Amino acid sequence: MYWHSYSSPVGPLFIVVNREGTLIRLSYSAIHSDLFPGSHLEENKYACGDVAYQLEEYFKGTRQHFDIPLYLNQGTSFQQDVWQRLLKIPYGTTLTYGEVAQKVGRKQAPRAVGNAVGRNPIPIIVPCHRVLPKSGGLGSYTARSAPGADPDDGKKVKRYLLSIESADPANNPALALL
């Protein structure tokens, strides 16, 4: 497997792809080989280049859909169902945890959906930032787990990602909550 640290507007992102170019992980935290037992990790920016290029376009506001093969078989079947559902949330829109729970057939499990969203191994590309609490506000975000991260860093990242996707932030219901 190959990894590369990509400098993004929301801080360093660590990309991991396999030899076929399938994206295995996108992380706000440094990648360690113990995350991938039995695999050899080699730094290679060229192997991760397509992911970095598409992220660059996304951050510039010129890409709305990612065309990267994803490996999302890393969690439970419920987590995988949630992650697959996140991929269907259109660019520039948001859903609540409860709405995602309904869409995966577990309408009584918005908290479990929140836990699955929080364990998303490929944030941004699997758009967990598009899921908000029903009560309003932003909720949590994966970036909060980055080493040394301020608890509000995740919210800042989520707000930034939502603002990229809104042509008119004043008309974006998610941003109106902020």
Side-chain angles (χ1 to χ4, degrees):
M1 287 196 282
Y2 302 109
W3 73 275
H4 174 62
S5 175
Y6 165 72
S7 261
S8 82
V10 296
L13 294 172
F14 298 88
I15 301 166
V16 177
V17 299
N18 65 15
R19 295 199 182 277
E20 292 77 36
T22 300
L23 182 59
I24 305 294
R25 185 173 301 259
L26 182 65
S27 177
Y28 293 95
S29 303
I31 299 297
H32 301 285
S33 59
D34 57 337
L35 292 172
F36 307 98
S39 297
H40 172 72
L41 280 175
E42 178 182 324
E43 185 173 7
N44 185 325
K45 75 177 188 177
Y46 300 106
C48 300
D50 191 36
V51 176
Y53 176 74
Q54 290 190 36
L55 284 167
E56 185 73 24
E57 289 182 323
Y58 171 80
F59 286 119
K60 287 180 181 175
T62 60
R63 175 173 288 275
Q64 294 185 2
H65 303 284
F66 291 94
D67 183 23
I68 300 167
L70 306 175
Y71 181 79
L72 290 172
N73 300 336
Q74 305 165 52
T76 66
S77 60
F78 176 72
Q79 289 171 332
Q80 291 173 35
D81 289 347
V82 170
W83 301 334
Q84 289 297 325
R85 185 60 192 101
L86 297 179
L87 289 168
K88 296 177 182 177
I89 302 173
Y91 181 93
T93 63
T94 60
L95 293 177
T96 66
Y97 294 100
E99 289 170 326
V100 174
Q102 286 180 330
K103 291 181 183 297
V104 297
R106 300 271 306 267
K107 68 179 182 177
Q108 300 300 322
R111 187 170 296 202
V113 166
N115 288 331
V117 168
R119 287 183 171 74
N120 174 9
I122 306 175
I124 302 171
I125 293 169
V126 176
C128 53
H129 59 278
R130 296 178 188 156
V131 184
L132 304 171
K134 182 180 180 179
S135 60
L138 288 172
S140 299
Y141 187 67
T142 301
R144 72 185 186 286
S145 64
D150 179 290
D152 289 331
D153 284 352
K155 289 182 181 186
K156 291 174 188 171
V157 170
K158 193 170 187 174
R159 182 179 293 117
Y160 182 81
L161 297 174
L162 290 171
S163 72
I164 289 171
E165 297 185 15
S166 176
D168 181 1
N171 290 329
N172 185 321
L175 296 177
L177 299 172
L178 308 177

